[in-house]
Amino acid sequence: MKVTIMGSGYVGLVSSACLANAGHQVVCFDIDSARIDRLRQGICPVSEPGLEDCIAQGMRATSLVFSAEPVTAFAGVQVIIIAVGTPPGEDGSADICHVLAAATLVGRHLEQPALVVTKSTVPVGTTEQVRERIAQVLAKRGAKLEFAVASNPEFLKEGAAVSDFMKPDRIVIGTDSPWAEKLLRSLYAPFNRNHERIMMMDVRSAELTKYAANAMLATKISFINEIANIAETLGADIEKVRQGIGADPRIGYQFIYPGCGYGGSCFPKDVRALEATALNAGYRPQLLRAVREVNERQKQRLAEKVLAYYGKDIRGRTFALWGLAFKPRTDDMREAPSRALLEALWQAGARVRAFDPRAMDACQTLYGERDDLLLLGTKEAAAKGADALIICTEWKGFWAPDFDLLRTLLRTPVIFDGRNLYDPALLAEQGFDYMAIGRGVDPERAGVQARRRGLPVRAA
């Protein structure tokens, strides 16, 4: 099939590359000509496992081309997929101006019947607005072309997006057009061979399904973090509690790992957008508000633990930070918990020595050159000479460090673990003060005990 993907961002590139590698003829279109030129040169702007190779394979097979010219993009096209960004507005609602701008371009340049699909994460009712915008522009041109619209939200996880697209757990399609359904079933046939993954529904339900899925996952994270804070207050171990509740098949183990909060480009934005959509429709979504507020508070937990341990004064101290990205296998620092931690430490007068396998450039772009931030090439280099280690991202390379070496690198054997990677009993045997999330250790009391043992809890 001849397919045009509008937008060369994260979703657009993954969709373009995967559809091209399935045998479709794909044009990835973007109005940013400089970005298109870089993509033609093989420079992938997105850090995602397998994506660069997937793009290169599609280009070698000539099934994937990049264009900034609408005439080229829409020539003979059968399916147009809108995959542009929907950034949050001031009130948290999704800004669909780029989606409607894409619809306007379709109306201006379409020369034959086609199906227009919204893959961007959009508020309920947006696909209907896309239909109306295209019809208005076509009418203004005096062009009598038949077209259909559909909603086909993406469910891609950063760090596993190529695999998610190639082996989807579900393909949600919302449309009232039998022709659109037939086209999309053909489009996704290569990904629907093992068993039926396509779920047909009306457009509004498809649009809401995307938001509801991300809101549900965010809810599970905020719930377990709330329970972790309660466990810490009561002297219980959240890891034991997590295992106890996860064994119930009605609950399961996925997304009930306590930590320092969720981040990224999806969960924070989509929870706020769904909340705003509900408010605009006259409904007050109390649970969504609680999910958001719990997460914002959770992002402060590590800094609060550090300050409590050191008696509120960390001026002149240096901390090693392992992990900057909001999760492993990505360089994405959008709304990452590490940002809240970094900014709190700096505000309190501390310095940071940081390492992340992928997000160092993103951190440099965000914060530039600073006297209180040093980006190091290894986790050991980051730990050398630091007063304590703080873990923000659960990269596999952090799971089993050499604790004997780590103890010699740190000025004092202190670890603040925002991802609960280690066994507290093992760390105690190794001589570390270990403060994790919801594991029954009071950092203030631990700091007092450290001072009694004569550990240097004042900055050198």
Side-chain angles (χ1 to χ4, degrees):
M1 298 180 69
K2 298 193 70 173
V3 183
T4 293
I5 311 285
M6 301 186 73
S8 63
Y10 183 84
V11 174
L13 282 177
V14 172
S15 302
S16 296
C18 292
L19 287 171
N21 276 273
H24 297 298
Q25 295 297 312
V26 179
V27 177
C28 183
F29 168 80
D30 201 296
I31 60 172
D32 186 340
S33 58
R35 187 180 181 93
I36 291 297
D37 286 342
R38 290 192 295 272
L39 284 163
R40 285 170 174 164
Q41 295 166 25
I43 301 171
C44 180
V46 175
S47 176
E48 180 65 33
L51 179 57
E52 192 168 350
D53 290 342
C54 200
I55 291 173
Q57 185 177 336
M59 293 176 69
R60 284 194 300 269
T62 67
S63 57
L64 174 60
V65 297
F66 296 96
S67 176
E69 296 297 329
V71 173
T72 302
F74 298 125
V77 67
Q78 296 168 276
V79 179
I80 300 167
I81 298 176
I82 298 175
V84 297
T86 52
E90 291 184 6
D91 62 350
S93 62
D95 185 347
I96 62 170
C97 67
H98 300 305
V99 175
L100 296 180
T104 299
L105 270 178
V106 172
R108 286 175 180 167
H109 297 281
L110 193 64
E111 296 293 344
Q112 70 285 322
L115 168 63
V116 182
V117 180
T118 53
K119 188 170 280 291
S120 302
T121 302
V122 294
V124 174
T126 300
T127 302
E128 185 55 40
Q129 292 186 55
V130 167
R131 185 204 305 268
E132 292 170 358
R133 177 64 61 88
I134 294 171
Q136 289 169 1
V137 178
L138 286 173
K140 192 173 182 180
R141 282 174 51 196
K144 294 182 179 180
L145 292 175
E146 295 207 9
F147 70 95
V149 297
S151 171
N152 173 221
E154 52 84 15
F155 297 95
L156 306 177
K157 298 186 295 291
E158 287 197 50
V162 173
S163 175
D164 285 346
F165 197 103
M166 294 293 198
K167 299 177 181 179
D169 46 23
R170 78 279 210 197
I171 302 169
V172 172
I173 297 172
T175 186
D176 58 3
S177 165
W179 176 62
E181 177 180 345
K182 183 178 180 180
L183 276 177
L184 287 172
R185 284 189 178 276
S186 296
L187 181 72
Y188 286 115
F191 313 100
N192 195 41
R193 294 173 62 86
N194 181 265
H195 64 271
E196 182 60 67
R197 294 179 171 91
I198 291 177
M199 299 180 180
M200 297 302 306
M201 57 186 72
D202 61 277
V203 170
R204 284 178 168 259
S205 295
E207 290 171 329
L208 183 56
T209 296
K210 168 63 176 182
Y211 278 117
N214 279 355
M216 183 70 238
L217 297 175
T219 299
K220 294 186 75 171
I221 296 170
S222 283
F223 172 81
I224 199 65
N225 283 335
E226 188 87 300
I227 298 299
N229 296 336
I230 294 171
E232 195 165 295
T233 303
L234 299 176
D237 185 343
I238 188 59
E239 289 302 315
K240 304 296 185 185
V241 176
R242 178 185 67 80
Q243 293 170 28
I245 66 174
D248 185 332
R250 297 172 300 174
I251 298 172
Y253 293 104
Q254 288 190 317
F255 284 85
I256 59 167
Y257 289 90
C260 49
Y262 61 75
S265 63
C266 293
F267 288 5
K269 175 176 74 74
D270 291 352
V271 170
R272 286 195 297 266
L274 183 54
E275 183 182 0
T277 295
L279 288 169
N280 289 337
Y283 179 79
R284 187 165 170 259
Q286 293 173 296
L287 179 58
L288 294 178
R289 178 177 178 179
V291 168
R292 175 174 53 81
E293 291 178 347
V294 166
N295 188 61
E296 291 304 312
R297 187 171 68 241
Q298 197 69 15
K299 289 181 180 181
Q300 305 299 323
R301 291 293 290 160
L302 280 175
E304 291 168 358
K305 287 175 179 290
V306 171
L307 288 166
Y309 183 85
Y310 290 103
K312 306 298 183 185
D313 186 6
I314 58 173
R315 288 172 296 175
R317 291 197 175 277
T318 299
F319 295 94
L321 176 58
W322 286 2
L324 295 164
F326 85 94
K327 73 173 188 176
R329 295 172 62 85
T330 181
D331 66 347
D332 196 344
M333 285 186 66
R334 284 174 287 186
E335 304 211 36
S338 64
R339 296 176 63 173
L341 173 66
L342 284 167
E343 290 159 18
L345 294 177
W346 292 333
Q347 187 175 12
R351 297 182 296 271
V352 177
R353 298 167 61 85
F355 168 73
D356 186 284
R358 287 196 185 173
M360 307 281 265
D361 289 344
C363 188
Q364 186 77 58
T365 300
L366 278 170
Y367 294 114
E369 297 291 337
R370 300 179 58 111
D371 294 337
D372 48 11
L373 173 63
L374 190 60
L375 299 173
L376 283 305
T378 67
K379 62 181 187 294
E380 292 81 10
K384 187 175 182 180
D387 289 284
L389 168 65
I390 308 174
I391 299 169
C392 242
T393 314
E394 64 275 28
W395 286 98
K396 282 286 182 69
F398 302 159
W399 286 22
D402 183 336
F403 289 113
D404 290 334
L405 174 61
L406 186 58
R407 194 168 52 249
T408 65
L409 292 173
L410 295 170
R411 287 189 65 244
T412 52
V414 180
I415 299 176
F416 300 91
D417 184 357
R419 297 300 175 185
N420 289 5
L421 297 185
Y422 309 133
D423 179 357
L426 174 63
L427 269 289
E429 289 176 8
Q430 297 270 0
F432 284 88
D433 276 357
Y434 177 63
M435 284 139 289
I437 303 294
R439 308 209 71 173
V441 177
D442 181 347
E444 184 175 0
R445 185 180 305 162
V448 169
Q449 291 171 349
R451 287 189 284 275
R452 287 175 180 169
R453 294 196 304 268
L455 294 180
V457 295
R458 304 294 296 181

